[in-house]
Amino acid sequence: MSDVREPDAEASVIGADALAGVPDEFQRLWTPHRMAYIQAGREPHHAECPFCSAPEKSDEDGLIVARGRTAYVLLNLFPYNSGHLLVCPYRHISTYDQATAEEVAEIGALTQVGMRVLRDTSRCDGFNLGMNQGAVAGAGVDGHLHQHIVPRWSSDANFFPIIAKTKALPQLLGDVRRTLAGAWPR
């Protein structure tokens, strides 16, 4: 005798569309903003420098959080964590030693303010700061100097980055930009 049951003629089939929103054991990570990066391939910025074109856009379209005299702050379009900021000089230079004293001072000052704003708005526990200068050093956009400010939380360690090379980002970029720009001191 078999344990396989014959289908019940009276049972109805439920279409998958009727199950939308029904909880199951899977957690889903929705990161639609990363499609631009995926579709662009390895070298997404051949035609124009994104850090030269961002200041020409509205703050919302350029993801700009704050503007200074010689440098500005914007969200990373491909963030490591929610709130991942970049501090860039307006001038198109590739390495830190090419920056003027005024640019260096403003990049430092904007980095400090960015850290304070992130700490106040996101309650982060620490930061990674850094500049990758040159493609060999890991710079995704190696022609334009930029300082990374990556907020970190003691609770943000999980298996995704290690096993699946995936980061879970709980906020949309536009929402993060509005929050940070609103908290930036004037």
Side-chain angles (χ1 to χ4, degrees), residues 11-97:
S12 63
V13 176
I14 299 172
D17 60 330
L19 297 175
V22 174
D24 59 19
E25 69 275 7
F26 295 103
Q27 298 295 316
R28 285 150 181 93
L29 301 176
W30 302 104
T31 56
H33 64 277
R34 292 208 42 93
M35 276 311 292
Y37 182 74
I38 293 165
Q39 291 172 338
R42 288 203 67 201
E43 300 295 329
H45 306 295
H46 283 303
E48 65 180 44
C49 174
F51 301 137
C52 287
S53 63
E56 298 170 4
K57 300 175 183 176
S58 70
D59 287 357
E60 291 78 15
D61 290 341
L63 296 175
I64 294 173
V65 174
R67 295 176 187 255
R69 233 175 62 70
T70 65
Y72 69 100
V73 181
L74 75 162
L75 284 174
N76 189 330
L77 184 57
F78 310 112
Y80 183 74
N81 274 343
S82 289
H84 182 166
L85 294 174
L86 302 172
V87 183
C88 303
Y90 290 110
R91 215 164 49 96
H92 187 85
I93 56 173
S94 59
T95 58
Y96 195 61
D97 61 329

Side-chain angles (χ1 to χ4, degrees), residues 5-183:
R5 299 177 78 186
E6 292 297 319
D8 184 354
E10 301 277 331
S12 63
V13 176
I14 299 172
D17 60 330
L19 297 175
V22 174
D24 59 19
E25 69 275 7
F26 295 103
Q27 298 295 316
R28 285 150 181 93
L29 301 176
W30 302 104
T31 56
H33 64 277
R34 292 208 42 93
M35 276 311 292
Y37 182 74
I38 293 165
Q39 291 172 338
R42 288 203 67 201
E43 300 295 329
H45 306 295
H46 283 303
E48 65 180 44
C49 174
F51 301 137
C52 287
S53 63
E56 298 170 4
K57 300 175 183 176
S58 70
D59 287 357
E60 291 78 15
D61 290 341
L63 296 175
I64 294 173
V65 174
R67 295 176 187 255
R69 233 175 62 70
T70 65
Y72 69 100
V73 181
L74 75 162
L75 284 174
N76 189 330
L77 184 57
F78 310 112
Y80 183 74
N81 274 343
S82 289
H84 182 166
L85 294 174
L86 302 172
V87 183
C88 303
Y90 290 110
R91 215 164 49 96
H92 187 85
I93 56 173
S94 59
T95 58
Y96 195 61
D97 61 329
Q98 296 171 336
T100 65
E102 186 180 8
E103 288 168 330
V104 168
E106 189 163 41
I107 289 168
L110 289 171
T111 298
Q112 288 182 321
V113 174
M115 292 170 65
R116 291 178 190 121
V117 169
L118 283 165
R119 192 178 295 114
D120 289 346
T121 60
S122 69
R123 308 286 186 248
C124 57
D125 300 310
F127 300 92
N128 290 114
L129 300 178
M131 293 182 186
N132 302 325
Q133 296 179 43
V136 70
V141 179
D142 63 349
H144 199 125
L145 180 67
H146 54 284
Q147 162 91 0
H148 292 262
I149 307 171
V150 182
R152 300 299 304 265
W153 295 265
S154 57
S155 62
D156 73 355
N158 60 50
F159 71 91
F160 286 123
I162 298 164
I163 305 293
K165 298 201 184 286
T166 301
K167 284 295 292 187
L169 301 170
Q171 296 176 294
L172 295 174
L173 291 173
D175 295 341
V176 174
R177 194 212 67 78
R178 275 188 295 282
T179 299
L180 297 177

